[in-house]
CSV table of all heavy atoms in Angstrom, one decimal:
chain,number,residue,atom,x,y,z
A,336,SER,N,-6.9,1.4,6.2
A,336,SER,CA,-6.7,2.8,6.7
A,336,SER,C,-7.4,2.9,8.0
A,336,SER,O,-8.4,2.3,8.3
A,336,SER,CB,-7.2,3.8,5.7
A,336,SER,OG,-7.2,5.1,6.3
A,338,TYR,N,-9.1,4.9,9.6
A,338,TYR,CA,-10.1,6.0,10.0
A,338,TYR,C,-11.3,5.5,10.7
A,338,TYR,O,-11.8,6.3,11.6
A,338,TYR,CB,-10.6,6.9,8.8
A,338,TYR,CG,-10.4,6.5,7.4
A,338,TYR,CD1,-11.0,5.4,6.8
A,338,TYR,CD2,-9.6,7.3,6.6
A,338,TYR,CE1,-10.8,5.1,5.5
A,338,TYR,CE2,-9.4,7.0,5.2
A,338,TYR,CZ,-10.0,5.9,4.7
A,338,TYR,OH,-9.9,5.6,3.4
A,557,TYR,N,-19.1,12.1,4.5
A,557,TYR,CA,-19.0,10.9,3.6
A,557,TYR,C,-18.2,9.8,4.3
A,557,TYR,O,-18.3,8.6,3.9
A,557,TYR,CB,-18.4,11.2,2.3
A,557,TYR,CG,-16.8,11.3,2.3
A,557,TYR,CD1,-16.1,10.2,2.0
A,557,TYR,CD2,-16.2,12.5,2.7
A,557,TYR,CE1,-14.7,10.3,2.1
A,557,TYR,CE2,-14.8,12.6,2.7
A,557,TYR,CZ,-14.1,11.5,2.4
A,557,TYR,OH,-12.7,11.6,2.5
A,558,LEU,N,-17.5,10.1,5.3
A,558,LEU,CA,-16.6,9.1,6.0
A,558,LEU,C,-17.1,8.8,7.4
A,558,LEU,O,-17.1,7.7,7.9
A,558,LEU,CB,-15.2,9.7,6.0
A,558,LEU,CG,-14.1,8.8,6.3
A,558,LEU,CD1,-14.1,7.5,5.5
A,558,LEU,CD2,-12.7,9.5,6.1
A,576,VAL,N,-5.2,15.1,11.3
A,576,VAL,CA,-5.2,16.0,10.2
A,576,VAL,C,-5.0,15.2,8.9
A,576,VAL,O,-5.1,15.7,7.8
A,576,VAL,CB,-4.2,17.1,10.2
A,576,VAL,CG1,-4.4,18.0,11.4
A,576,VAL,CG2,-2.8,16.6,10.3
A,577,GLN,N,-4.8,13.9,9.0
A,577,GLN,CA,-4.7,13.1,7.8
A,577,GLN,C,-6.1,12.6,7.5
A,577,GLN,O,-7.0,12.8,8.3
A,577,GLN,CB,-3.8,11.9,8.1
A,577,GLN,CG,-2.4,12.2,8.4
A,577,GLN,CD,-1.6,10.9,8.6
A,577,GLN,OE1,-1.5,10.3,9.6
A,577,GLN,NE2,-0.9,10.5,7.5
A,578,CYS,N,-6.3,12.0,6.3
A,578,CYS,CA,-7.5,11.3,6.0
A,578,CYS,C,-7.1,9.8,6.1
A,578,CYS,O,-7.3,9.2,7.1
A,578,CYS,CB,-8.1,11.8,4.7
A,578,CYS,SG,-9.5,10.8,4.1
A,579,GLY,N,-6.6,9.3,5.0
A,579,GLY,CA,-6.1,7.9,5.1
A,579,GLY,C,-4.9,7.9,6.1
A,579,GLY,O,-4.1,8.9,6.1
A,580,ARG,N,-4.9,6.9,6.9
A,580,ARG,CA,-3.8,6.8,7.9
A,580,ARG,C,-3.4,5.4,8.0
A,580,ARG,O,-4.2,4.5,8.3
A,580,ARG,CB,-4.3,7.4,9.3
A,580,ARG,CG,-3.2,7.5,10.3
A,580,ARG,CD,-3.6,8.4,11.5
A,580,ARG,NE,-4.7,7.8,12.2
A,580,ARG,CZ,-4.7,7.1,13.3
A,580,ARG,NH1,-3.5,6.8,13.8
A,580,ARG,NH2,-5.8,6.7,13.9
B,195,GLN,N,-14.1,2.1,-0.2
B,195,GLN,CA,-13.2,3.3,-0.2
B,195,GLN,C,-12.7,3.6,-1.6
B,195,GLN,O,-13.1,2.9,-2.6
B,195,GLN,CB,-12.0,3.1,0.7
B,195,GLN,CG,-12.2,2.4,2.1
B,195,GLN,CD,-13.1,3.3,3.0
B,195,GLN,OE1,-13.9,2.7,3.8
B,195,GLN,NE2,-12.9,4.6,2.9
B,196,LEU,N,-11.9,4.6,-1.7
B,196,LEU,CA,-11.3,4.9,-3.0
B,196,LEU,C,-10.1,4.1,-3.4
B,196,LEU,O,-9.4,4.3,-4.3
B,196,LEU,CB,-10.9,6.4,-3.0
B,196,LEU,CG,-12.0,7.4,-2.7
B,196,LEU,CD1,-11.5,8.9,-2.8
B,196,LEU,CD2,-13.1,7.2,-3.7
B,197,PHE,N,-9.9,3.0,-2.5
B,197,PHE,CA,-8.8,2.0,-2.9
B,197,PHE,C,-9.4,0.7,-2.7
B,197,PHE,O,-10.3,0.5,-1.9
B,197,PHE,CB,-7.6,2.2,-2.1
B,197,PHE,CG,-7.8,2.1,-0.6
B,197,PHE,CD1,-7.7,0.9,0.1
B,197,PHE,CD2,-8.1,3.2,0.2
B,197,PHE,CE1,-7.9,0.7,1.4
B,197,PHE,CE2,-8.4,3.1,1.6
B,197,PHE,CZ,-8.3,1.9,2.2
B,252,CYS,N,4.5,12.3,0.2
B,252,CYS,CA,4.0,12.8,1.5
B,252,CYS,C,3.2,11.7,2.2
B,252,CYS,O,2.7,10.8,1.5
B,252,CYS,CB,3.1,14.0,1.3
B,252,CYS,SG,4.0,15.4,0.7
B,253,PRO,N,3.0,11.7,3.5
B,253,PRO,CA,2.2,10.7,4.1
B,253,PRO,C,0.7,11.0,3.9
B,253,PRO,O,-0.1,11.2,4.8
B,253,PRO,CB,2.5,10.8,5.6
B,253,PRO,CG,3.3,12.1,5.8
B,253,PRO,CD,3.6,12.6,4.4
B,254,GLY,N,0.3,10.9,2.6
B,254,GLY,CA,-1.1,11.0,2.3
B,254,GLY,C,-1.5,12.4,1.6
B,254,GLY,O,-0.7,13.3,1.6
B,255,GLY,N,-2.6,12.3,0.9
B,255,GLY,CA,-3.0,13.5,0.1
B,255,GLY,C,-3.4,14.7,1.0
B,255,GLY,O,-3.2,15.8,0.5
B,256,SER,N,-3.8,14.5,2.2
B,256,SER,CA,-4.2,15.6,3.0
B,256,SER,C,-2.9,16.4,3.3
B,256,SER,O,-2.9,17.6,3.2
B,256,SER,CB,-4.8,15.1,4.3
B,256,SER,OG,-5.9,14.3,4.1
B,257,ILE,N,-1.8,15.7,3.6
B,257,ILE,CA,-0.6,16.4,3.9
B,257,ILE,C,0.0,17.0,2.6
B,257,ILE,O,0.6,18.1,2.6
B,257,ILE,CB,0.4,15.5,4.7
B,257,ILE,CG1,-0.3,15.3,6.1
B,257,ILE,CG2,1.7,16.1,4.8
B,257,ILE,CD1,0.5,14.4,7.1
B,258,SER,N,-0.2,16.3,1.5
B,258,SER,CA,0.3,16.9,0.2
B,258,SER,C,-0.4,18.2,0.0
B,258,SER,O,0.2,19.2,-0.5
B,258,SER,CB,0.0,15.9,-1.0
B,258,SER,OG,0.8,14.7,-0.9
B,259,ASN,N,-1.7,18.2,0.3
B,259,ASN,CA,-2.5,19.5,0.1
B,259,ASN,C,-2.0,20.6,1.0
B,259,ASN,O,-1.9,21.7,0.6
B,259,ASN,CB,-4.0,19.3,0.3
B,259,ASN,CG,-4.7,18.5,-0.8
B,259,ASN,OD1,-4.1,18.4,-1.9
B,259,ASN,ND2,-5.8,17.9,-0.5
B,292,GLU,N,-17.3,21.1,-3.2
B,292,GLU,CA,-17.1,19.7,-3.3
B,292,GLU,C,-15.7,19.3,-3.0
B,292,GLU,O,-15.4,18.1,-3.1
B,292,GLU,CB,-17.4,19.3,-4.7
B,292,GLU,CG,-18.8,19.6,-5.2
B,292,GLU,CD,-19.9,18.7,-4.6
B,292,GLU,OE1,-19.5,17.5,-4.3
B,292,GLU,OE2,-21.0,19.1,-4.3
B,293,CYS,N,-14.9,20.1,-2.5
B,293,CYS,CA,-13.5,19.8,-2.2
B,293,CYS,C,-13.4,18.8,-1.1
B,293,CYS,O,-14.3,18.6,-0.3
B,293,CYS,CB,-12.7,21.0,-1.9
B,293,CYS,SG,-12.9,21.6,-0.2
B,294,HIS,N,-12.2,18.2,-1.0
B,294,HIS,CA,-11.9,17.3,0.1
B,294,HIS,C,-11.8,18.1,1.4
B,294,HIS,O,-11.2,19.2,1.4
B,294,HIS,CB,-10.7,16.4,-0.2
B,294,HIS,CG,-10.5,15.4,0.8
B,294,HIS,ND1,-9.5,15.4,1.8
B,294,HIS,CD2,-11.1,14.2,1.0
B,294,HIS,CE1,-9.6,14.3,2.6
B,294,HIS,NE2,-10.6,13.6,2.1
B,295,TYR,N,-12.2,17.5,2.5
B,295,TYR,CA,-12.1,18.2,3.8
B,295,TYR,C,-10.7,18.5,4.2
B,295,TYR,O,-10.5,19.3,5.1
B,295,TYR,CB,-12.9,17.4,4.9
B,295,TYR,CG,-12.3,16.1,5.3
B,295,TYR,CD1,-11.2,16.1,6.3
B,295,TYR,CD2,-12.7,14.9,4.9
B,295,TYR,CE1,-10.7,14.9,6.7
B,295,TYR,CE2,-12.2,13.7,5.3
B,295,TYR,CZ,-11.2,13.7,6.2
B,295,TYR,OH,-10.6,12.5,6.7
B,296,SER,N,-9.7,18.0,3.6
B,296,SER,CA,-8.3,18.3,4.0
B,296,SER,C,-8.0,19.7,3.7
B,296,SER,O,-7.0,20.2,4.3
B,296,SER,CB,-7.4,17.3,3.3
B,296,SER,OG,-7.5,17.3,1.9
B,297,VAL,N,-8.6,20.4,2.8
B,297,VAL,CA,-8.3,21.8,2.6
B,297,VAL,C,-8.7,22.6,3.9
B,297,VAL,O,-7.9,23.4,4.3
B,297,VAL,CB,-9.1,22.3,1.4
B,297,VAL,CG1,-8.9,23.8,1.2
B,297,VAL,CG2,-8.7,21.6,0.1
B,347,THR,N,-10.1,20.6,-7.7
B,347,THR,CA,-10.1,19.2,-7.5
B,347,THR,C,-10.3,18.4,-8.8
B,347,THR,O,-11.2,18.7,-9.6
B,347,THR,CB,-11.2,18.8,-6.5
B,347,THR,OG1,-11.2,19.7,-5.4
B,347,THR,CG2,-11.1,17.4,-6.0
B,348,SER,N,-9.5,17.5,-9.0
B,348,SER,CA,-9.6,16.6,-10.2
B,348,SER,C,-10.1,15.2,-9.6
B,348,SER,O,-9.2,14.4,-9.2
B,348,SER,CB,-8.3,16.4,-11.0
B,348,SER,OG,-8.0,17.6,-11.7
B,349,GLY,N,-11.3,15.0,-9.6
B,349,GLY,CA,-11.9,13.8,-9.1
B,349,GLY,C,-12.3,14.1,-7.6
B,349,GLY,O,-11.6,13.9,-6.7
B,350,THR,N,-13.5,14.6,-7.5
B,350,THR,CA,-14.0,14.9,-6.1
B,350,THR,C,-14.3,13.6,-5.4
B,350,THR,O,-14.6,12.6,-6.0
B,350,THR,CB,-15.2,15.8,-6.0
B,350,THR,OG1,-16.3,15.3,-6.8
B,350,THR,CG2,-14.8,17.2,-6.7
B,351,THR,N,-14.3,13.6,-4.1
B,351,THR,CA,-14.3,12.4,-3.3
B,351,THR,C,-15.7,11.7,-3.4
B,351,THR,O,-15.7,10.5,-3.6
B,351,THR,CB,-14.1,12.8,-1.8
B,351,THR,OG1,-13.0,13.7,-1.7
B,351,THR,CG2,-13.9,11.6,-0.9
B,352,VAL,N,-16.7,12.4,-3.4
B,352,VAL,CA,-18.0,11.7,-3.4
B,352,VAL,C,-18.6,11.6,-4.8
B,352,VAL,O,-18.8,10.5,-5.3
B,352,VAL,CB,-19.1,12.5,-2.6
B,352,VAL,CG1,-20.4,11.8,-2.7
B,352,VAL,CG2,-18.6,12.5,-1.1
B,376,ASP,N,-5.8,19.4,-6.5
B,376,ASP,CA,-5.9,18.2,-5.7
B,376,ASP,C,-6.4,17.0,-6.6
B,376,ASP,O,-7.6,16.9,-6.8
B,376,ASP,CB,-6.9,18.4,-4.5
B,376,ASP,CG,-7.2,17.2,-3.7
B,376,ASP,OD1,-6.6,16.1,-4.1
B,376,ASP,OD2,-7.9,17.3,-2.7
B,377,ALA,N,-5.5,16.3,-7.1
B,377,ALA,CA,-5.8,15.2,-8.0
B,377,ALA,C,-5.5,13.9,-7.2
B,377,ALA,O,-5.1,12.8,-7.8
B,377,ALA,CB,-5.0,15.2,-9.3
B,378,ALA,N,-5.6,13.9,-5.9
B,378,ALA,CA,-5.4,12.7,-5.1
B,378,ALA,C,-6.1,11.5,-5.6
B,378,ALA,O,-5.6,10.5,-5.8
B,378,ALA,CB,-5.8,13.0,-3.6
B,379,TRP,N,-7.4,11.8,-6.0
B,379,TRP,CA,-8.2,10.7,-6.5
B,379,TRP,C,-8.1,10.6,-8.0
B,379,TRP,O,-7.9,9.5,-8.5
B,379,TRP,CB,-9.7,11.0,-6.0
B,379,TRP,CG,-10.8,10.1,-6.5
B,379,TRP,CD1,-12.0,10.5,-6.8
B,379,TRP,CD2,-10.8,8.7,-6.6
B,379,TRP,NE1,-12.8,9.4,-7.2
B,379,TRP,CE2,-12.0,8.3,-7.1
B,379,TRP,CE3,-9.8,7.7,-6.5
B,379,TRP,CZ2,-12.4,7.0,-7.4
B,379,TRP,CZ3,-10.1,6.3,-6.8
B,379,TRP,CH2,-11.4,6.0,-7.2
B,380,GLY,N,-8.3,11.7,-8.7
B,380,GLY,CA,-8.3,11.6,-10.2
B,380,GLY,C,-7.0,11.6,-10.9
B,380,GLY,O,-7.0,11.4,-12.2
B,403,ALA,N,-1.4,17.3,-6.2
B,403,ALA,CA,-1.4,16.2,-5.3
B,403,ALA,C,-2.0,15.0,-5.9
B,403,ALA,O,-3.1,15.1,-6.5
B,403,ALA,CB,-2.1,16.5,-4.0
B,405,ASN,N,-2.5,10.7,-5.5
B,405,ASN,CA,-2.3,9.5,-4.7
B,405,ASN,C,-2.4,8.2,-5.5
B,405,ASN,O,-3.5,7.7,-5.7
B,405,ASN,CB,-3.5,9.4,-3.7
B,405,ASN,CG,-3.4,10.3,-2.5
B,405,ASN,OD1,-2.5,11.2,-2.5
B,405,ASN,ND2,-4.2,10.2,-1.5
B,407,HIS,N,-2.0,5.5,-4.3
B,407,HIS,CA,-2.5,4.4,-3.5
B,407,HIS,C,-4.0,4.3,-3.7
B,407,HIS,O,-4.6,3.3,-3.2
B,407,HIS,CB,-2.1,4.6,-2.0
B,407,HIS,CG,-2.9,5.7,-1.2
B,407,HIS,ND1,-2.2,6.7,-0.5
B,407,HIS,CD2,-4.2,5.9,-1.0
B,407,HIS,CE1,-3.1,7.4,0.1
B,407,HIS,NE2,-4.3,7.0,-0.2
B,408,LYS,N,-4.6,5.2,-4.4
B,408,LYS,CA,-6.1,5.1,-4.6
B,408,LYS,C,-6.3,4.3,-5.9
B,408,LYS,O,-6.3,3.1,-5.9
B,408,LYS,CB,-6.7,6.5,-4.6
B,408,LYS,CG,-6.6,7.2,-3.2
B,408,LYS,CD,-7.5,8.5,-3.2
B,408,LYS,CE,-7.2,9.4,-2.1
B,408,LYS,NZ,-7.7,9.0,-0.8
B,414,LEU,N,-1.4,1.8,0.6
B,414,LEU,CA,-1.3,3.0,1.5
B,414,LEU,C,0.1,3.0,2.2
B,414,LEU,O,0.5,2.0,2.6
B,414,LEU,CB,-2.3,2.9,2.7
B,414,LEU,CG,-3.4,3.9,2.7
B,414,LEU,CD1,-4.5,3.4,1.7
B,414,LEU,CD2,-4.0,4.0,4.1
B,415,GLN,N,0.8,4.1,2.3
B,415,GLN,CA,0.5,5.3,1.7
B,415,GLN,C,1.3,5.6,0.5
B,415,GLN,O,2.5,5.2,0.5
B,415,GLN,CB,0.7,6.4,2.7
B,415,GLN,CG,2.1,6.4,3.2
B,415,GLN,CD,2.4,7.1,4.5
B,415,GLN,OE1,1.7,7.1,5.4
B,415,GLN,NE2,3.6,7.8,4.5
B,416,CYS,N,0.8,6.2,-0.5
B,416,CYS,CA,1.5,6.6,-1.7
B,416,CYS,C,0.9,7.8,-2.3
B,416,CYS,O,-0.1,7.8,-3.0
B,416,CYS,CB,1.5,5.4,-2.7
B,416,CYS,SG,2.7,5.7,-4.0
B,417,SER,N,1.4,9.0,-1.9
B,417,SER,CA,0.9,10.3,-2.3
B,417,SER,C,2.0,11.2,-2.7
B,417,SER,O,2.9,11.5,-2.0
B,417,SER,CB,0.1,10.9,-1.1
B,417,SER,OG,-0.3,12.2,-1.5
B,514,ASN,N,-16.8,7.0,-9.8
B,514,ASN,CA,-17.7,7.1,-8.6
B,514,ASN,C,-19.1,6.9,-9.1
B,514,ASN,O,-19.7,7.8,-9.8
B,514,ASN,CB,-17.7,8.5,-7.9
B,514,ASN,CG,-16.3,8.9,-7.5
B,514,ASN,OD1,-15.3,8.6,-8.3
B,514,ASN,ND2,-16.1,9.6,-6.4
B,569,ARG,N,-22.2,5.1,-2.7
B,569,ARG,CA,-21.2,5.5,-3.6
B,569,ARG,C,-20.3,4.2,-3.9
B,569,ARG,O,-19.6,3.8,-2.9
B,569,ARG,CB,-20.3,6.6,-3.1
B,569,ARG,CG,-19.1,7.0,-4.0
B,569,ARG,CD,-18.0,7.7,-3.3
B,569,ARG,NE,-17.3,6.8,-2.3
B,569,ARG,CZ,-16.2,7.2,-1.6
B,569,ARG,NH1,-15.7,8.4,-1.7
B,569,ARG,NH2,-15.7,6.3,-0.8
C,145,LIG,C1,-10.0,14.5,-3.5
C,145,LIG,C2,-9.3,14.0,-2.3
C,145,LIG,N1,-8.2,14.7,-1.9
C,145,LIG,C3,-7.5,14.4,-0.9
C,145,LIG,C4,-7.7,13.2,-0.2
C,145,LIG,C5,-6.9,12.8,1.0
C,145,LIG,O1,-6.0,11.8,0.7
C,145,LIG,P1,-5.4,11.0,1.9
C,145,LIG,O2,-6.5,10.1,2.4
C,145,LIG,O3,-4.3,10.3,1.3
C,145,LIG,O4,-5.0,12.0,3.0
C,145,LIG,C6,-8.8,12.4,-0.6
C,145,LIG,C7,-9.1,11.1,0.1
C,145,LIG,O5,-10.1,10.5,-0.1
C,145,LIG,C8,-9.6,12.8,-1.7
C,145,LIG,O6,-10.6,12.1,-2.2
Side-chain angles (χ1 to χ4, degrees):
Chain A
S336 169
Y338 17 65
Y557 80 91
L558 192 53
V576 298
Q577 297 186 275
C578 172
R580 184 163 64 95
Chain B
Q195 313 298 143
L196 300 183
F197 59 90
C252 293
S256 302
I257 293 182
S258 294
N259 286 342
E292 298 289 326
C293 78
H294 188 255
Y295 67 81
S296 51
V297 177
T347 313
S348 287
T350 59
T351 313
V352 176
D376 176 357
W379 173 221
N405 283 10
H407 77 232
K408 297 189 195 284
L414 250 82
Q415 56 195 43
C416 190
S417 173
N514 305 39
R569 181 200 65 175

